Amino acid sequence: MSTNYNIVSLIRKKRNKIHLTSDEISFIVSAYLAGDIEDYQVSAFLMASFLNGLNTEESSALTNSMLHSGQIVDLSHIPGKKVDKHSTGGVGDKLSLVLAPIVASAGVPVPMISGRGLGHTGGTLDKLGSIPGFSTDMDLPRYKEIIQKHLLVLAGQTAEIAPADKKLYALRDVTATVEYIPFIASSIMSKKLAEGIDALVLDVKYGSGAFMKTSEQAIELAETLVGIGEQFDKKTIAFITNMNQPTGYKIGNWLEVEESIDCLKGKGPEDTAYLSHLLAGAMIYLGGKADSLENGIALSKRQTQNGEAFSKWKDIVAEQGGDVSFIEDPNKFVLPSFVFELKSSKTGFVQKIDTYSVGMAAVELGAGRKLITDVIDPGAGIVLEKKIGDKIEEGETILKAYTNKPTVIDEVTEQLFSAFSIGDEKPEAQPLVTHICDSNGTRAFEL
Ligand code: URA
């Protein structure tokens, strides 16, 4: 139990740019969760911290207090280093669905607690929810049982995991204090550290479809996340990846499951396969099943070629209540009845994609939520036929969109049309991964 402080004095201290002690931060978090201090007082603390900054000790105390506000899952009965991956969010980002079975099939336990879509970005939980019958709702004993049996579990956040983060996140959302790197990093890491992991791989995205718009912001976030991981004695590797266009060709919950099945069979799009093997390789390396990142990547590729990753995927789908016949034959899934094509008005090259707008168009089609109460249409989404650098003729199809909401088609067509810039010059190819960040610092990424 932390000491009882006067909340007004703590807000005043922070307002006057005096750093708070770990005990003081811990008091604010636990008193807020207990309902002993008011929303408006914590709002003032959040804004004062946002404006005057939190130092490393304060950020680490915030993470620690949110982490300990709930249960920390103990997976020590399962042999081996448990490793998870976290992505800061993007459009068409189905990498978790590909890498989780790969890594588990290579012998590294993956306890994965995922979230729902946020704004223009999709969420792993919604993608899994599009598999008929698949359930991510479970209590902790079931979570432990599944990971012990399959070295993999795919769950949603339970009420036991970092409840203070949930309460604080909701307050940040309505007080314009979400976009502050120490808050984002402590929020992400408090949940990840509670899962029972030993190590973590982070995919920190930048670009038009990411929350961090520049690679500099992404690097700052990655360094903060890695710093917290190291403080908690968890090996952490972050990759800075490009989200200036969607990952792969498919955007939308079931459509992304379909594309991830292609990847698990070695037939996926090049960017998706590359990123999946990179992140899976890093997880395998941190899990101690390879002695270098390169060998981790080679093992990841082997697990798709020999069919073990796909077989693991079918096992976990069946264990969590999903109908495996849809995984074996994805064409069984009936896509929405309204399909429309977006055609190019000129000949040239795709120069740029406003990926945020593409993500928001997918939400409008039914693939995401605008209100927390909205119900997702699992089949809604977009299938790109062209990506940056592709040649396109006038009248050729750029993409197909699927929806059950015919009334949104005109508006979404317009939105998608303005999201694609087509010009005469073929643009220079952009690297998919720019930097790697770990306990040795941040450096340009090269394989
Ligand atoms: N995701 C989180 O979990 N927390 C944040 O603060 C932002 C993104």
Side-chain angles (χ1 to χ4, degrees), residues 253-290:
N253 299 294
W254 172 258
L255 292 168
E256 294 189 37
V257 170
E258 253 182 21
E259 198 165 58
S260 63
I261 294 171
D262 289 343
C263 282
L264 284 168
K265 291 179 164 175
K267 293 184 288 192
E270 218 176 290
D271 61 343
T272 317
Y274 176 86
L275 290 169
S276 302
H277 288 307
L278 172 68
L279 299 170
M283 291 170 78
I284 292 169
Y285 166 56
L286 289 181
K289 297 289 175 188

Side-chain angles (χ1 to χ4, degrees), residues 118 165 169 172 178 183-184 187-188 191:
L118 195 65
D165 169 65
Y169 188 87
R172 284 166 57 208
V178 168
F183 286 164
I184 297 174
S187 164
I188 292 172
K191 285 174 284 205

